Amino acid sequence: MARSSEKVIAGGLLLANLAVAGSALFWGTLWWPMRQLAARGVDGPWVAVLTFATPVLLLLPVVLWRRQHFRSGGWLLAGTGLLIGSSSILYADGLLVGEIVRVLLLFYLMPVWSVLFERLIIGTPVTPARFGTIALGLVGMIVLMGFENGFPFPRSLGDWFGLTSGVCWALGIVLVRLGGPAGAFEKTYAQFAGAVLVGLLLMPLILSPVPPFPANAITDHWPWLLAIAAFWLIPTAGLSLWGAGQLSPVRSALLLMFEVPVGVISSVLLTDEPFGLREMIGGALIVSAAILDVLLVPQAAEPARG
C-alpha cells in the first residue's frame, strides 16, 4: 500500500515537472504575437494590457460561477495574483520595449531570487550547490551587462523590466508554494487580473503622454487577441501555476528556464536583434545555474495540492 502511494506521488510529481517545462515552450514565443500586434499600429503598453485583459473578460463567467473559491483565497490569493501578474506584465512590456534575449536572460536570474526567498520565507537551507546557483547567475548577469559604462547594472527600461519580472515571479511562486484553498484556476485568473492592473499603472513610465485606448485593436485585430489568450496565456499560465504548486520554488523556476533556448532561437531566427559572444557566455552561465541545481539538489516527492 505504501509503495502504491509512493508511485501515485511520484507520478503526480512527474506531471507537475512536465507541466511547468511544457509551459515554458509557449512562454518562449509569447513575444511573437505581441510584436505582431505592435507592428499593426497598437502602442506597446496597450498591447501588453490587452493581451492579459482578453482572458480576464473571456473567463469572467467562470469567475462568477466560482466566486466562493475566490473569496476563500483571501489575501494570499490577492497577493499571489498581484506578484505573478506584475511579473507577467513586466516581462511582456520588456519583450516589447527591450531586446528579447536580454529580457529573457535577466528574467531567468529568477533562481537566484528563488533561493533567497525560499530561505527567508519558507526556511529552506541554502546548500553549497545553491550558493553555486547564486554565484553563477550573478556572474552571468555581469557578463551580459558588461563594464563599458561602469558597474554592470541593467541600463535600459527593457533590462529593468526583465530583472524585476524575475524577482516578482520568484516571490509570487513562494506564495503559491505556501498553499491556501485557492486552486489553479483562481491563481491563473488572479495573475491575469493583476497583470492588467499593474500594466495600467506602468503605462506612464513607458510612454508619456499615455496614448488613448486603442479601440481599433479590438475591432480590427481581435483574432490576434483571441489567439494569444487561447493558445498562449490561458493554457500555459494554468500549467505553470498548477505545476509550481507541487514543486519547490527553485525547481519550478529552473524548469521554466527551458524558455531560454526557445526564446533565443526564435528571436535569432525571426528578428535582427544582436546575439553575440557576450550574450552566449552570459546566457550559458545563467543557464548553468539551473543545471547545477537540477543535478546536485535532490527534490523530495510531495503530495499534490490544488
Side-chain angles (χ1 to χ4, degrees), residues 101-103 105-106 109 138-156 159-160 163 278-279 282 286:
V101 171
R102 290 171 69 88
V103 173
L105 293 176
L106 288 170
L109 277 171
L138 292 178
V139 170
M141 184 185 75
I142 290 172
V143 171
L144 188 66
M145 295 295 101
F147 286 91
E148 289 88 348
N149 299 309
F151 193 81
F153 283 116
R155 296 184 181 95
S156 70
D159 286 352
W160 280 111
L163 184 68
R278 172 184 296 171
E279 287 78 12
I286 292 172

Side-chain angles (χ1 to χ4, degrees), residues 47-64:
V47 169
V49 169
L50 290 173
T51 291
F52 289 98
T54 301
V56 166
L57 294 176
L58 289 176
L59 297 174
L60 189 57
V62 184
V63 172
L64 296 175

Side-chain angles (χ1 to χ4, degrees), residues 19-175:
V20 177
S23 71
L25 300 178
F26 290 92
W27 287 127
T29 55
L30 178 61
W31 65 270
W32 183 76
M34 291 197 304
R35 288 200 173 187
Q36 292 299 310
L37 270 178
R40 285 162 171 76
V42 184
D43 289 302
W46 278 115
V47 169
V49 169
L50 290 173
T51 291
F52 289 98
T54 301
V56 166
L57 294 176
L58 289 176
L59 297 174
L60 189 57
V62 184
V63 172
L64 296 175
W65 177 54
R66 294 177 61 91
R67 58 187 178 276
Q68 189 58 43
H69 295 269
F70 281 88
R71 291 195 192 102
S72 65
W75 288 106
L76 184 60
L77 176 62
T80 299
L82 191 60
L83 282 168
I84 300 292
S86 297
S87 173
S88 299
I89 200 72
L90 285 165
Y91 181 69
D93 279 332
L95 292 176
L96 288 165
V97 304
E99 296 176 11
I100 295 167
V101 171
R102 290 171 69 88
V103 173
L104 265 172
L105 293 176
L106 288 170
F107 174 77
Y108 278 104
L109 277 171
M110 178 191 3
V112 172
W113 321 128
S114 295
V115 168
L116 298 176
F117 290 138
E118 202 173 338
R119 173 59 181 158
L120 292 173
I121 297 174
I122 300 178
T124 304
V126 181
T127 64
R130 284 185 167 160
F131 275 118
T133 295
I134 294 173
L136 280 176
L138 292 178
V139 170
M141 184 185 75
I142 290 172
V143 171
L144 188 66
M145 295 295 101
F147 286 91
E148 289 88 348
N149 299 309
F151 193 81
F153 283 116
R155 296 184 181 95
S156 70
L157 193 59
D159 286 352
W160 280 111
F161 280 172
L163 184 68
T164 308
S165 175
V167 174
C168 290
W169 182 273
L171 185 53
I173 290 301
V174 171
L175 294 187

Side-chain angles (χ1 to χ4, degrees), residues 215-231:
N216 69 302
I218 298 175
T219 58
D220 299 342
H221 307 307
W222 60 267
W224 282 102
L225 293 171
L226 288 180
I228 295 171
F231 296 107

